Amino acid sequence: MQSLKHHFLMALPHMEDPNFTGSLIYLCDHDHNGCMGVIANRPLEITLDALFEQLSLGGDDSPHRNAPVYYGGPMHKDRGFILHVGDSQAWDSSIQVEDGIALTTSMDILQALADGTGPEHFLVCLGCAGWEVGQLEDELKENAWLTVEGQSNVLFDTPPAERLTAAAGILGIDLNLMTRNAGHA
């Protein structure tokens, strides 16, 4: 099995699952136990300021208070997943996805963001996406997704509405030109 950790999953235009239609997913883990990632292009209508307030973290002076919170996926929607630039060693519950990109689920990183001392580049996601062993591979065989190696500039420097297009552009593909219908020769 080839690991797709640090890869983008791009939903193809015929994706009908409303949880994933039009989604760009960044895969944070993929091994013999399954696969897990976060949707990186679906900001919710709440900002970190609301999250800081709900969690009583302060943050009134945080430079990050107007940052969007993202819909990370349909699983564990009550949990926060913070994808960020930096080292996983700095936080209590963190995994290093790729050199320079980590995923953290502990409250200490949210407190640091509220205090203005957290990572400069980050996505705060509520929920995640996950697949059981073999499930994602089956979906790939059914042509539900395109994959390409992840790039931090797409995650952190590209506006959310342009991330899916930017990731497809890595492959030289324009998803707007793809059709939902299959042809027969």
Side-chain angles (χ1 to χ4, degrees):
M1 171 188 75
Q2 177 185 349
S3 176
L4 292 175
K5 181 178 180 177
H6 181 61
H7 278 70
F8 291 129
L9 280 182
M10 295 165 275
L12 288 172
H14 61 273
M15 174 72 71
E16 294 182 7
D17 184 335
N19 290 305
F20 299 115
T21 301
S23 291
L24 175 69
I25 300 172
Y26 179 72
L27 295 176
C28 301
D29 199 11
H30 185 206
D31 60 20
H32 63 278
N33 293 315
C35 189
M36 178 269 180
V38 293
I39 298 174
N41 67 330
R42 291 180 59 185
L44 297 169
E45 293 190 17
I46 63 170
T47 62
L48 276 183
D49 190 43
L51 194 60
F52 294 157
E53 184 177 326
Q54 183 180 5
L55 298 171
S56 301
L57 296 176
D60 293 339
D61 298 325
S62 174
H64 308 299
R65 58 190 300 240
N66 293 318
V69 174
Y70 290 80
Y71 170 73
M75 297 177 62
H76 309 293
K77 291 190 281 188
D78 59 335
R79 293 188 58 199
F81 297 83
I82 299 89
L83 187 65
H84 58 93
V85 171
D87 185 5
S88 63
Q89 301 300 317
W91 314 105
D92 289 341
S93 182
S94 205
I95 61 167
Q96 198 71 43
V97 179
E98 181 68 12
D99 188 33
I101 300 177
L103 181 73
T104 301
T105 59
S106 52
M107 189 67 80
D108 59 338
I109 194 169
L110 285 175
Q111 185 63 64
L113 290 170
D115 295 341
T117 60
E120 183 178 344
H121 299 290
F122 62 90
L123 300 177
V124 174
C125 303
L126 294 180
C128 68
W131 293 263
E132 294 179 0
V133 175
Q135 184 181 5
L136 178 59
E137 290 79 2
D138 290 344
E139 291 179 17
L140 288 168
K141 288 176 191 171
E142 295 170 5
N143 294 316
W145 305 97
L146 287 176
T147 64
V148 67
E149 188 171 347
Q151 293 184 359
S152 63
N153 65 316
V154 172
L155 289 170
F156 303 113
D157 299 330
T158 304
E162 298 172 20
R163 289 178 186 154
L164 180 60
T165 300
I170 297 167
L171 293 172
I173 294 173
D174 183 344
L175 292 175
N176 296 317
L177 299 177
M178 297 182 83
T179 180
R180 294 174 164 257
N181 303 322
H184 299 284

